[in-house]
Amino acid sequence: MRRFLLPFLLAAVLAAGAVASAPAAVAATADLTSVTVTGTVGEKPTVAVTKPVAVKQTKSETVTKGTGAKAVKGSTVTLDYVFVNGRTGAELETSYGAASVSLPMDRTKTRPAIVDSLIGERVGSRVVVAIAPKDGMTKAMKSDAIKLSDTLLFVADIKSASVPLDRATGATVVPVDGLPTVKLAKNGAPTITVPKNVDPPTTLVVQPLITGTGPVVQAGQTVTVHYTGIVWDTGKTFDSSWKTGTPVDFSIGTSAVIAGWDEGLVGQPVGSQMLLVIPPDKGYGAGGNSGAGIKGTDTLVFVIDILAAT
């Protein structure tokens, strides 16, 4: 319903190609002894399967141990990966040569088999995971190259790991006259008040309320934010992550969200709280967003806490 709220989902569209058949007479192994992963971390690995792999319980091994930050529960991990069919040895999907992916280490947002295998690993590590059929990845990927009974091999190079902030933190910025005012609850949730008898700006307004001290958000990253959005004319809140208490993750600077968010968040430091006043042409355009109660003429006001960028 809301284009600015696209939770991260691990890619599941598989590359087409011929699939080799494993010899029927060869019994499958229930471990990773028949899997060899070679190549330099950070570059696409070569994954060789000399004997079919079929596990009943998901298991993992660290091919290369990194020395960077540790992936912990609640952190966001950025990685490159290859999926290989453990039965046939055929490559199914890869992020190498495309965009890296960011996964929240949260079993409600990312498949538990992946989360459980990556927690405790460090940045710079290469990990191979044999995902058991019961964990549902084969069903989710939906391909003629995969049987529901297949074990899938997931080889990942961990590029970064960071724990999102709970709320914006940094230097408070003096409010600007004529713009909506913001009052924060004890937990950081904002209440936005639009000035009376003031017409909304006709161009995008990007106003820091708190200037963070973290790294600058770059286009193509996945950002983690808390936000509240209201309509200027009515002052009505149409959406807020603070109501659920759960921050959201999405790609920034890639047209995955409305233009006002792409333009307003790229270049801002993590930890910042941003006030964005977004005219229709930088929001949902003339069509509006009926599902959120937004008309094509509505100017939108957002308060956004930038909690992480990976």
Side-chain angles (χ1 to χ4, degrees):
M1 181 180 73
R2 303 181 292 273
R3 190 158 65 92
F4 50 85
L5 267 184
L6 295 178
F8 179 82
L9 297 176
L10 186 64
V13 178
L14 308 184
V19 178
S21 297
V26 179
T29 63
D31 54 31
L32 293 168
T33 56
S34 65
V35 180
T36 303
V37 180
T38 56
T40 303
V41 174
E43 298 178 0
K44 185 178 178 180
T46 298
V47 183
V49 180
T50 58
K51 192 175 182 179
V53 178
V55 300
K56 293 183 178 181
Q57 301 288 337
T58 293
K59 56 186 61 180
S60 64
E61 291 183 4
T62 305
V63 179
T64 302
K65 292 185 178 182
T67 58
K70 184 182 291 187
V72 298
K73 184 178 180 181
S75 64
T76 297
V77 170
T78 300
L79 53 81
D80 281 313
Y81 69 90
V82 175
F83 267 115
V84 171
N85 191 322
R87 173 176 57 87
T88 66
E91 181 181 309
L92 300 169
E93 177 181 311
T94 184
S95 69
Y96 291 92
S100 301
V101 298
S102 294
L103 299 176
M105 294 293 98
D106 181 337
R107 297 173 102 251
T108 67
K109 296 181 179 181
T110 303
R111 290 200 171 270
I114 299 294
V115 173
D116 295 345
S117 298
L118 295 184
I119 284 180
E121 297 290 349
R122 292 186 177 276
V123 172
S125 293
R126 170 169 286 174
V127 183
V128 56
V129 185
I131 304 174
K134 71 172 187 175
D135 288 323
M137 188 66 77
T138 52
K139 184 177 181 180
M141 294 185 79
K142 294 180 181 178
S143 169
D144 292 339
I146 303 172
K147 295 180 179 180
L148 292 179
S149 59
D150 283 344
T151 292
L152 300 184
L153 302 176
F154 177 71
V155 180
D157 287 351
I158 301 176
K159 300 176 67 176
S160 68
S162 61
V163 178
L165 300 170
D166 293 327
R167 58 187 290 183
T169 179
T172 301
V173 178
V174 177
V176 175
D177 291 339
L179 292 180
T181 58
V182 179
K183 183 177 181 180
L184 301 181
K186 289 183 178 180
N187 68 347
T191 297
I192 307 169
T193 302
V194 176
K196 294 181 179 179
N197 303 318
V198 175
D199 292 331
T202 58
T203 58
L204 176 67
V205 174
V206 180
Q207 175 61 52
L209 301 177
I210 296 173
T211 301
T213 59
V216 170
V217 174
Q218 300 179 27
Q221 289 187 308
T222 294
V223 294
T224 301
V225 303
H226 257 319
Y227 72 94
T228 292
I230 72 168
V231 176
W232 178 289
D233 286 343
T234 65
K236 181 180 179 181
T237 299
F238 58 85
D239 203 2
S240 177
S241 66
W242 287 101
K243 288 184 177 180
T244 65
T246 304
V248 295
D249 308 302
F250 57 87
S251 177
I252 195 68
T254 61
S255 299
V257 293
I258 56 176
W261 278 46
D262 274 344
E263 296 178 24
L265 298 187
V266 171
Q268 305 298 335
V270 171
S272 297
Q273 182 178 81
M274 303 300 300
L275 173 71
L276 303 183
V277 182
I278 303 177
D281 65 314
K282 298 292 186 181
Y284 291 99
N289 185 329
S290 59
I294 298 170
K295 302 190 298 293
T297 56
D298 282 338
T299 293
L300 308 179
V301 182
F302 286 96
V303 172
I304 305 168
D305 286 14
I306 306 174
L307 307 178
T310 56

